[in-house]
Amino acid sequence: MGKVWCGSCTLTLAAIVVLLGKPVGASDFDHHETLDVEGKFRILWKFDDEKIEFEAQVQTAGWVGLGLSPNGGMPGSDIAIGWVKDGIAHLTDRYAEAKAQPRMDESQDWELVSGYENGTHTVLRFNRKLTTCDVRDRVINEDTIRVLWAWHDDDPEDESGVSGPTYHGANRGVKSTVLLSNIITPTNIQESLNYTFDILMKNVPVPYDKDTTYWCRVFQLPNITSKHHIVKYEPIITPGNEGVVHHLLIYRCDKRHQVTILPDGDPGHACEPQFSRPCFNILAGWGVGVGTVLTPDHVGYPIGDDEDSGYVIMEMHYDNPQLASGIHDSSGLRLTYTPELRDNDMGVLLVGVAVNKYHVVPPHAEAFVSAGFCNSRCLSAFLEELGQPIHIVGVNLATRPLGVKISARVIHNGTETEIAREDNYDYDMQLTRMLKKEITVYPGDSLIIECTYDSTHKEHVTFGGLDIKDELCLAGFQYYPKFNLTDCVSTPSLYTTTGFAGIQDADFDYDTLELNITAPAAMVGMTYEDAIKAVPWTEEKAQTFSDMLLNGNFHTRCLANPESAVDIRLFDEYLPLPRGLRVTPEDVCSGRTAQETTPVNPGPTMEDWAGSGAWRPGVYAVPVMAACLALIYSVVKP
């Protein structure tokens, strides 16, 4: 048995195990991930409220590096580099200031547990506190983290300098993951009562003349005579198409509407997401970066009940930015269902900014904020129809490539509570976040989704929409028990958006669903998009615009299952963004305790601009504008 000793910069441990052959999986780890496409760098990890522990299994006899990066690059990264030499394991805590050999950290916070080599691999086990209070260490939380990986075939002669770890060459990469994710492990299902069925596309010819394609196909569910619950689904992706298949949604069709069943060999057709209705209830969804999804023990997605037609539509989003030709796809999901019913039916509720071009993200903005919310009166009406509150168990946060942060919050009794938050968003990591603690939503509560975008590299405005180049801000809440509300969204008032662009008067064309600008004279003939693009956008002007949107009114809208008795037309309203007291989390490094804070006034209102000549309040009649927006809404799935 070896001994452990610490130098000023290195922890070492005599190897206690030397095995022949490949390393075996460690049964005491809850999570694992292969970081490179060849399967040579594998990590396993587990965590508690204070610490995380890794095991790196790497096909090399040299040094191994694992880093936590703020953006996928070297600068600003927190890095551990270790190796095994002469039977002794070494680990060093480092930080990177540039694309160069990472410097040794004065505070060695990565702690070596054990390490060994065998005939093929170097295996190192090490841990670290989630928060070290070292400014050169990255905090490990529930955000997406860009994990850097690298290795070299030789051990270093020394810890640093010219004899330190040699440049890794091509043996490097980065992969996004969520280290502190909640794993659902069902315990009350008998495997003998589990059944599976696959919902797969049939050799779809992915178009090569556009980068974004939505493709739909109708499927018949298994012939069951009683209610069952779907408790698990997992992706089946056509090999080689991992970079093209971005996400998919499966909608359950209502028995009150007819659906067209195509011949078995028919691949389906290109579609627009809003055309998925009357198949409006989300049954399952998957996005790039997501593996197998399981429901908690007490909930399941219902099929085979009285309202089920026995048919579903799968809506696939293909992302082909390189316009590659010759791609055919047969991807989809494998769903596991059981007659052993859970206690509750699960549903999915979409909340956020309505997906249409009136959602604007200007260029040259480092932190442009948009927000959408669920009309509290609408939410309350459906909760009262249900007769009880709902409980959120999971959430999928969705924005597009400009999105860098997104959060979902609930306001209850005047206080805002975070449901989920992502401060390091990665569009290629569409993770479904299962909550450690359920969030209960009561009548009178409000749900808010807030997105932050970085458009500093953009020269033109980005509008909301369906294309990969458009933006969105949505959250899909997984909850129980299922009620009749399916979508609850809002969009900033056109008073604010068009007024900021200098539009003084406009008519709405019900045939084209477009605004025809009639004043000022210099803007007559311009489209809405042209007017927004013509604003001389700067960082300061973008911030002012964001403040005005958040401080202005929003047009709200609800969509529901047809069997509901609630009149959703009552909730086409103009309302301000709801706000409550926010709880500032405890800061363990500064010693500051948690405290409530009053939300800051987001900025100027439209009244502050009145008299500037850019806007004439009251030009649009509110009922007319509400009718216009009701027509142009494209409430779609991300």
Side-chain angles (χ1 to χ4, degrees), residues 55 107 350 362:
E55 181 169 292
S107 176
L350 285 184

Side-chain angles (χ1 to χ4, degrees), residues 533-555:
K533 292 177 181 178
V535 174
W537 293 108
T538 63
E539 169 73 31
E540 182 179 4
K541 190 172 286 291
Q543 184 59 54
T544 301
F545 181 55
S546 175
D547 291 343
M548 292 183 67
L549 292 178
L550 298 177
N551 206 38
N553 281 333
F554 291 72
H555 179 233

Side-chain angles (χ1 to χ4, degrees), residues 125-158:
R125 184 179 288 210
F126 48 95
N127 61 46
R128 206 206 77 180
K129 291 182 179 179
L130 301 180
T131 302
T132 66
C133 299
D134 181 350
V135 295
R136 294 192 175 101
D137 290 344
R138 299 200 62 79
V139 174
I140 300 174
N141 54 27
E142 295 179 0
D143 285 354
T144 298
I145 291 181
R146 274 72 169 177
V147 177
L148 304 181
W149 55 269
W151 78 80
H152 194 276
D153 290 332
D154 298 319
D155 293 328
E157 293 296 326
D158 204 348

Side-chain angles (χ1 to χ4, degrees), residues 229-457:
H229 273 154
I230 292 176
V231 296
K232 172 183 175 182
Y233 53 89
E234 50 197 318
I236 301 176
I237 307 301
T238 300
N241 288 358
E242 291 82 0
V244 177
V245 178
H246 186 266
H247 73 260
L248 65 87
L249 288 163
I250 297 175
Y251 303 91
R252 194 177 79 159
C253 300
D254 181 41
K255 68 189 308 180
R256 305 182 189 191
H257 299 84
Q258 292 184 345
V259 293
T260 302
I261 306 300
L262 300 174
D264 186 60
D266 193 295
H269 59 280
C271 60
E272 294 294 339
Q274 64 265 35
F275 294 164
S276 294
R277 304 178 187 280
C279 304
F280 40 79
N281 280 308
I282 297 178
L283 186 67
W286 173 89
V288 61
V290 178
T292 300
V293 177
L294 302 102
T295 67
D297 282 344
H298 56 297
V299 295
Y301 295 97
I303 57 173
D305 56 8
D306 293 340
E307 296 161 2
D308 189 1
S309 68
Y311 296 97
V312 298
I313 286 180
M314 181 162 67
E315 173 190 289
M316 182 79 78
H317 173 197
Y318 292 112
D319 182 16
N320 187 15
Q322 305 302 320
L323 303 181
S325 60
I327 299 175
H328 288 77
D329 184 68
S330 298
S331 301
L333 287 184
R334 172 165 294 159
L335 287 81
T336 300
Y337 64 105
T338 177
E340 191 177 63
L341 296 179
R342 306 291 180 84
D343 293 336
N344 301 281
D345 290 344
M346 181 180 283
V348 176
L349 172 65
L350 285 184
V351 177
V353 180
V355 182
N356 58 47
K357 65 183 180 182
Y358 298 101
H359 178 199
V360 174
V361 179
H364 312 306
E366 183 177 1
F368 182 83
V369 179
S370 294
F373 64 95
C374 179
N375 184 329
S376 179
R377 292 203 317 120
C378 169
L379 183 59
S380 296
F382 284 93
L383 289 174
E384 290 166 1
E385 182 185 50
L386 177 67
Q388 59 179 303
I390 59 171
H391 309 275
I392 298 174
V393 297
V395 59
N396 181 271
L397 302 172
T399 179
R400 289 266 169 77
L402 295 184
V404 292
K405 297 181 181 181
I406 181 170
S407 69
R409 304 190 296 271
V410 60
I411 299 179
H412 176 68
N413 289 339
T415 298
E416 292 190 19
T417 299
E418 278 192 348
I419 302 171
R421 183 181 187 90
E422 173 59 78
D423 285 341
N424 199 21
Y425 187 81
D426 185 348
Y427 175 64
D428 291 324
M429 188 70 183
Q430 302 285 312
L431 182 69
T432 298
R433 299 169 182 272
M434 303 308 294
L435 305 183
K436 294 180 180 178
K437 183 179 180 181
E438 296 178 2
I439 298 291
T440 303
V441 180
Y442 300 90
D445 290 355
S446 297
L447 294 169
I448 307 169
I449 313 301
E450 182 178 281
C451 296
T452 302
Y453 306 92
D454 183 352
S455 62
T456 52
H457 61 290

Side-chain angles (χ1 to χ4, degrees), residues 508 510 513 555 572 574 621-632:
F508 187 77
Y510 286 87
L513 305 181
H555 179 233
D572 283 345
Y574 281 89
V622 170
V624 173
M625 290 303 296
C628 296
L629 285 171
L631 281 173
I632 61 178

